[in-house]
Amino acid sequence: MDIIIVGCGKLGTCLAQNLSEENHNITVFDKNENLVNSIVDKYDVQGFVGGATIKKDLDEAGIKKTDLLIATTASDENNILSCLIARRMGAKHTIARVRNPEYIKQINFMRSELGISVLINPDFNAALEIMRMLQFPDAMNVETFADGLVNIAEVKIKSDSPFADCKVGAISSKFKNRMLICAVARGNEVFIPNGDFVVNSGDKIYITGSHKYLESIVSKFNPSKKFASLKDIMIIGGSRMAFYLAGLLESQGKNIVIVEKNMQKCEELSDLLDKTTIICGDANDYDFMKEEGIENMDAVVTLTNNDELNILFTAFAESCSVPKNITKINNPNLSILLDKFSSDSYINITDVASNAIIHYIRAKKHVSSGEMKRLYKLVGGKVEAAEFVVDSKTKNLGKPLCNINIRQDVLIASISRKGKIIFPKGDDVIEIGDRIVIVSKERKIEKINDIFD
């Protein structure tokens, strides 16, 4: 596909890297020549310096032949206007990053009347991911598939885990085949394990399980850390993400506290959130935080715009024996630091938005070859988990899996059939209408038939 990415910030850079690796023809577009050149120097993309709301500049960048324009600037209005102009000039599809809740409320109008194919709200999407992490506190991260029936949970194996030094097949048998270990990260290596693979202390394992049983399954991997129900939750930083997250948690009856040092933001949040306690104060003041009850919290979610401060706040919360901590980071390299001192969760908002956009592009590219429903990148992008709907064009229908040649480092992690979840064995088959979750290592599965040799 011929794709123009407007905006060379974090999201634009991430998309340029990922989409160029998938052999799309990418043009990055920004007013800042230095930003454009820095991306062109790193990745196999073209660059154009100009304004994405200027008809002349878009015309010179080749908008008339563009399959997709993705607007990722810091301005919602510029993104929307850029998409509108691009569509009128001939771009087949457009995606706009939009953060303002009022614009998101008009999503149907934006699509039908303005022709914007997709509105991506990274803050809201990230808030949904954080909420899932809070629903499964024993896991570091959780992704959802099959309309919430299936989850993949990331768990770090500690030295005292009863499953350290156990074979994958033996672990699955102990849970009566209600789960499947679909990937293992060990240092810089990643494995798609078979039944004889041995799980070691320090490994990160990725467990596929039904939503109904997964929480109890995950809790047994590190039983020394017991979680009660997470009722009292503190959010540090009064960002849009904090607003979305607090609203979601309010609907679940949680007791929410937001700590924000900017008085104007506090007043705005107080007007918007009826059941959340808003505290105006500096989270850097640890005595102040203790006075406000951080030691009594079940979970702390740190959402400031400063990665280093977020990590320090997380370390402080852990020193206060807060059971569950979630940290927002923008720099993916800092995830290595978090892995070393913490087994708790972190979220990268750029990755959340990038995954949603890449999912749309792959689904659009292969719309007639088995519908892609979900796409997540795991283990820093080294593993992908994708959900597809099986259709009549899918190969090997009705054949036992043991008689099918599936590509190396590709695993069918689950099959959802008429509300029933199957963790497949050799005698299981694929049928039309199934929703299957595919896990693959360093292999981009664009359509369902890509998994077969």
Side-chain angles (χ1 to χ4, degrees), residues 182-184 188-193 378-379 381-385 407-411 438-445:
C182 57
V184 178
N188 293 323
E189 293 186 280
V190 178
F191 306 91
I192 304 296
L378 311 173
V379 202
K382 294 178 181 179
V383 171
E384 289 188 349
R407 291 187 176 185
Q408 186 177 3
D409 289 329
V410 174
L411 177 74
I438 305 297
V439 174
S440 60
K441 174 188 171 184
E442 297 177 351
R443 186 186 294 275
K444 297 172 176 62
I445 304 298

Side-chain angles (χ1 to χ4, degrees), residues 27-307:
T27 299
V28 294
F29 193 113
D30 199 289
K31 291 181 179 179
N32 188 316
E33 185 175 1
N34 291 332
L35 292 177
V36 171
N37 289 338
S38 68
I39 295 179
V40 171
D41 290 342
K42 289 180 182 177
Y43 310 115
D44 184 19
V45 301
Q46 295 179 307
F48 189 91
V49 179
T53 58
I54 306 300
K55 180 177 180 295
K56 173 178 171 294
D57 290 349
L58 284 170
D59 197 25
E60 290 182 10
I63 195 66
K64 292 178 182 178
K65 297 181 180 179
T66 297
D67 296 304
L68 173 66
L69 178 137
I70 309 170
T72 71
T73 76
S75 167
D76 288 357
E77 290 75 17
N78 281 347
N79 291 340
I80 293 170
L81 182 57
S82 178
C83 288
L84 178 59
I85 295 172
R87 282 285 288 151
R88 294 295 177 90
M89 292 182 68
K92 295 182 179 65
H93 303 281
T94 59
I95 296 174
R97 177 173 69 176
V98 176
R99 287 195 167 111
N100 190 324
E102 294 303 316
Y103 290 137
I104 297 300
K105 291 177 183 177
Q106 304 175 102
I107 188 168
N108 291 331
F109 173 79
M110 297 281 193
R111 288 173 177 167
S112 61
E113 300 299 324
L114 301 184
I116 299 176
S117 307
V118 178
L119 294 178
I120 296 292
N121 185 337
D123 299 303
F124 182 71
N125 290 349
L128 286 173
E129 291 212 9
I130 292 171
M131 189 174 69
R132 286 199 294 272
M133 293 175 187
L134 294 170
Q135 289 175 334
F136 295 89
D138 291 279
M140 298 179 69
N141 198 3
V142 179
E143 310 294 1
T144 184
F145 300 88
D147 293 332
L149 294 176
V150 176
N151 296 103
I152 294 182
E154 177 185 355
V155 178
K156 190 170 185 178
I157 300 297
K158 297 182 179 180
S159 58
D160 59 352
S161 170
F163 299 109
D165 303 319
C166 284
K167 290 184 177 181
V168 164
I171 296 172
S172 181
S173 296
K174 288 182 180 180
F175 290 103
K176 300 179 181 179
N177 296 314
R178 287 180 172 173
M179 52 79 78
L180 186 150
I181 297 177
C182 57
V184 178
R186 179 177 296 162
N188 293 323
E189 293 186 280
V190 178
F191 306 91
I192 304 296
N194 59 24
D196 292 326
F197 185 93
V198 177
V199 173
N200 293 341
S201 170
D203 287 349
K204 285 184 181 178
I205 65 171
Y206 295 80
I207 303 169
T208 308
S210 68
H211 183 85
K212 182 178 180 181
Y213 300 110
L214 188 61
E215 185 175 358
S216 63
I217 289 172
V218 169
S219 67
K220 292 179 174 60
F221 277 83
N222 291 308
S224 61
K225 190 170 185 179
K226 295 291 186 182
F227 286 97
S229 175
L230 302 186
K231 186 72 174 177
D232 299 308
I233 300 169
M234 178 179 283
I235 302 172
I236 298 175
S239 61
R240 284 197 185 100
M241 196 191 307
F243 161 71
Y244 288 125
L245 179 60
L248 291 169
L249 295 173
E250 279 186 352
S251 66
Q252 294 185 339
K254 307 295 186 182
N255 301 322
I256 312 302
V257 175
I258 296 179
V259 179
E260 166 59 49
K261 64 181 179 180
N262 184 292
M263 178 59 76
Q264 182 179 348
K265 281 188 178 181
C266 288
E267 291 173 350
E268 292 172 356
L269 289 168
S270 183
D271 290 338
L272 294 169
L273 297 165
D274 295 334
K275 301 175 183 177
T276 296
T277 300
I278 312 297
I279 297 174
C280 190
D282 188 354
N284 277 311
D285 186 341
Y286 294 160
D287 289 335
F288 166 78
M289 295 297 288
K290 287 187 176 181
E291 289 176 6
E292 296 301 334
I294 190 171
E295 294 172 306
N296 299 320
M297 292 294 152
D298 298 316
V300 170
V301 184
T302 310
L303 301 179
T304 79
N305 290 322
N306 186 306
D307 285 359

